[in-house]
Amino acid sequence: MSVPFILNHTNSIANLYLAELRDVNIQSDKARFRRNQEKLGTILAYEISKTLQYTNKEIQTPLGTANISLPVIQPVLATILRAGLPFHQGFMNFFEQSKSAFITACRKVKKSGAFNIQVDHISTPDLNNKTLIISDTMLATGQSLVIVCKELMAQYNITDLHIAAVIASTEGITHIKANLPKAKIWVCAVDEEMTSKAYIVPGLGDAGDLAFGEKV
Ligand SMILES: O=P(O)(O)OC[C@H]1O[C@H](OP(=O)(O)OP(=O)(O)O)[C@H](O)[C@@H]1O
Ligand SMILES: O=c1cc[nH]c(=O)[nH]1
């Protein structure tokens, strides 16, 4: 089982984007909130790209030939609607030729406060023998990502699975490791706590509502 990659374990300008996402005085600017997620998605995409397979190619320039190591494959990108969309856009900005899959999933909360994840719709290109990068802004309990990935893996023979989130909880990472032991995990930050309603603390609040408006 691989160790998760945690972006804020190394100081970089990415910390500023993460701070603005969390900051209650800044995050109400929806455009900036979405744009900061997009930037973090692109940074994680760059990090993941370092682990893909490469082969040397000779490229003809006007003055000679350059030997360049180029990726052998384009990963397929996926996200869970709706909160994951801006983060996913960041991955698409980097893996410009990749195909995308979209999954609709939501928490169905019971009277007791417990919840199930309901997967409503999957729209995907062929994932057989593909590298899949599935991104979602928040990895809280990890239930959404596990259910969605298991559903995709039941339908397709996915070669490599990368899971990316902006903020993960410790519990969520444990849940992913226990249920998807082969998945590689990429996150910008890990928080220790969750509320009784499974919101990450300190987290950033409700990612979907902040990006797109409160649900009715
Ligand atoms: O790890 P989990 O406990 O499963 O929670 C994570 C899910 O919660 C968020 O979506 P949310 O439920 O806020 O819905 P939305 O995308 O419709 O806003 C987030 O985008 C994940 O999909
Ligand atoms: O902290 C959390 C957990 C789930 N969904 C969110 O939007 N935020």
Side-chain angles (χ1 to χ4, degrees), residues 83 107 138 140 198-201 203-209:
R107 291 177 173 183
M138 307 304 277
Y199 274 74
I200 300 174
V201 179
L204 52 73
D206 190 309
D209 285 5

Side-chain angles (χ1 to χ4, degrees), residues 65-78:
T65 51
N67 209 295
I68 305 186
S69 184
L70 291 174
V72 174
I73 53 113
Q74 287 287 339
V76 177
L77 310 176

Side-chain angles (χ1 to χ4, degrees), residues 80-83 107 115 117 136 138-144 206 208 215:
I80 304 178
L81 301 177
R82 67 184 166 145
R107 291 177 173 183
F115 60 82
I117 306 298
D136 196 353
M138 307 304 277
L139 198 178
T141 63
Q143 289 180 50
S144 304
D206 190 309
K215 292 182 279 277

Side-chain angles (χ1 to χ4, degrees), residues 5-99:
F5 173 90
I6 304 172
L7 185 67
N8 76 347
H9 279 188
T10 305
N11 280 342
S12 78
I13 197 79
N15 285 358
L16 181 62
Y17 311 143
L18 196 54
E20 288 187 0
L21 281 176
R22 291 187 190 267
D23 191 326
V24 73
N25 296 310
I26 297 177
Q27 61 176 198
S28 57
D29 177 345
K30 289 195 181 343
R32 195 163 170 186
F33 186 78
R34 292 192 299 266
R35 185 74 189 111
N36 278 326
Q37 284 189 61
E38 217 175 299
K39 286 186 266 191
L40 290 170
T42 301
I43 293 167
L44 280 191
Y46 167 70
E47 294 294 342
I48 294 173
S49 77
K50 295 177 188 172
T51 69
L52 301 178
Q53 212 189 323
Y54 288 78
T55 188
N56 278 337
K57 286 253 167 73
E58 285 197 342
I59 302 295
Q60 188 68 49
T61 80
L63 300 176
T65 51
N67 209 295
I68 305 186
S69 184
L70 291 174
V72 174
I73 53 113
Q74 287 287 339
V76 177
L77 310 176
T79 194
I80 304 178
L81 301 177
R82 67 184 166 145
L85 269 177
F87 191 43
H88 175 76
Q89 180 65 50
F91 283 83
M92 290 199 299
N93 293 348
F94 188 76
F95 292 112
E96 290 182 314
Q97 301 304 323
S98 285
K99 296 176 179 172

